[in-house]
């Protein structure tokens, strides 16, 4: 069994490996906001438990055992986020820190019953896919809003930025999951996007647009 800290490292390595693999020590240190030496010590412990393959100066990769452990943590986190939003009326910008605590509850039976209670959701409140009990993710097709052209339509299905200020900003603009949008205009100068949502025109920056995921 892993400690909370070990589980957090595995989850972070998993997320970072989706960007670059092997994952560099400095990238982990930056994400956790700790010293690289502390990260190295933890990677050695995880390597001894056969959860990662760590080579000094080359980075770290998850072993199959480590990958499945990390995916299970992600699964628990996202299921708890669904529960908090759907059953306890949390807003989507309020759930991350609470789910960070709940994801460490070590009861497979509890999670299986939670999954069934929620009717086996495929995505969390931010549109991120929830792996099943075997570690398989649903195949979700989406495109970043800033890649759409004028006249194209779609439905908001997720976000790639989960910070509370960003989610609050989207909620203020009415750009939440399930909303149907149409691109009205794109400004050549700065890439800002004018779109139609609920028959109302809304303007967003290119920076915001690139973090909104759309299904067509």
């Amino acid at each position: 069994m892993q400690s909370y800290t070990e589980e957090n490292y595995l989850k972070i390595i998993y997320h970072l490996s989706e960007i670059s693999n092997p994952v560099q020590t400095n990238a982990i240190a930056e994400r956790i906001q700790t010293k690289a030496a502390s990260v190295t010590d933890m990677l050695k412990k995880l390597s001894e438990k056969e959860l990662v393959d760590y080579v000094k100066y080359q980075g770290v990769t998850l072993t199959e055992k480590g990958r499945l452990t990390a995916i299970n943590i992600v699964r628990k986190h996202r299921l708890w986020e669904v529960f908090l939003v759907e059953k306890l009326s949390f807003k989507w910008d309020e759930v991350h820190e609470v789910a960070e605590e709940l994801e460490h509850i070590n009861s497979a039976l509890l999670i299986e019953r939670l999954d069934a209670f929620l009717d086996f959701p495929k995505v969390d409140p931010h549109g991120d896919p929830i792996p099943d009990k075997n570690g398989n993710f649903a195949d979700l097709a989406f495109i970043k809003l800033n890649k759409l052209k004028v006249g194209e339509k779609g439905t908001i299905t997720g976000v790639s930025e989960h910070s509370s200020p960003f989610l609050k900003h989207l909620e203020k603009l009415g750009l939440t999951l399930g909303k149907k949008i149409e691109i009205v205009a794109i400004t050549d100068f700065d890439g800002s996007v004018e779109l139609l949502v609920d028959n109302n025109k809304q303007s967003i920056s290119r920076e915001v647009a690139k973090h909104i995921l759309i299904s067509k």
Side-chain angles (χ1 to χ4, degrees):
M1 186 180 300
Q2 290 77 47
S3 68
Y4 282 21
T5 303
E6 289 171 339
E7 288 188 345
N8 284 335
Y9 266 82
L10 291 173
K11 185 176 67 171
I12 287 168
I13 294 168
Y14 173 77
H15 287 311
L16 289 173
S17 69
E18 295 181 308
I19 303 170
S20 176
N21 205 26
V23 177
Q24 300 303 310
T25 302
N26 287 338
I28 301 171
E30 183 177 349
R31 180 69 66 91
I32 299 178
Q33 296 185 325
T34 190
K35 295 179 180 179
S38 298
V39 173
T40 299
D41 289 342
M42 177 56 71
L43 295 181
K44 290 177 180 177
K45 291 180 181 179
L46 294 175
S47 181
E48 289 171 1
K49 292 187 175 184
E50 300 182 343
L51 294 165
V52 303
D53 288 323
Y54 171 62
V55 179
K56 192 174 182 180
Y57 304 125
Q58 294 184 28
V60 61
T61 58
L62 293 170
T63 63
E64 182 62 13
K65 177 182 176 183
R67 189 185 71 85
L68 291 175
T69 301
I71 288 175
N72 185 51
I73 299 164
V74 170
R75 167 175 161 77
K76 290 189 287 183
H77 182 101
R78 294 177 179 174
L79 282 172
W80 282 120
E81 287 195 336
V82 175
F83 174 77
L84 291 167
V85 169
E86 291 190 359
K87 305 304 180 182
L88 298 185
S89 301
F90 278 71
K91 293 182 179 180
W92 67 342
D93 61 286
E94 298 175 328
V95 295
H96 182 71
E97 289 185 1
V98 181
E100 286 271 294
E101 298 293 328
L102 293 170
E103 72 186 25
H104 298 293
I105 297 175
N106 189 31
S107 171
L109 178 60
L110 172 63
I111 297 305
E112 291 311 306
R113 291 188 177 178
L114 176 64
D115 194 18
F117 177 66
L118 297 171
D119 198 24
F120 307 102
K122 301 298 183 186
V123 295
D124 73 7
H126 311 107
D128 293 320
I130 300 173
D132 63 21
K133 63 181 180 181
N134 297 315
N136 299 312
F137 290 85
D139 187 16
L140 304 175
F142 54 77
I143 185 172
K144 293 182 178 181
L145 192 151
N146 67 310
K147 298 297 184 181
L148 297 180
K149 298 177 181 178
V150 173
E152 288 191 295
K153 301 178 181 179
T155 302
I156 298 176
T157 55
V159 293
S160 59
E161 166 63 56
H162 294 170
S163 69
S164 182
F166 180 74
L167 296 175
K168 287 180 178 178
H169 180 61
L170 291 189
E171 192 160 336
K172 183 178 179 181
L173 297 175
L175 299 174
T176 51
L177 297 191
K179 288 295 181 71
K180 298 186 182 302
I181 61 98
E182 178 181 352
I183 306 301
V184 176
I186 301 172
T187 304
D188 291 335
F189 174 66
D190 61 2
S192 59
V193 180
E194 187 176 318
L195 47 84
L196 199 63
V197 54
D198 288 343
N199 296 316
N200 296 313
K201 285 188 177 180
Q202 190 65 260
S203 182
I204 59 175
S205 69
R206 178 171 53 188
E207 185 67 20
V208 169
K210 76 178 185 180
H211 290 298
I212 298 176
L213 308 177
I214 301 293
S215 63
K216 300 179 67 177

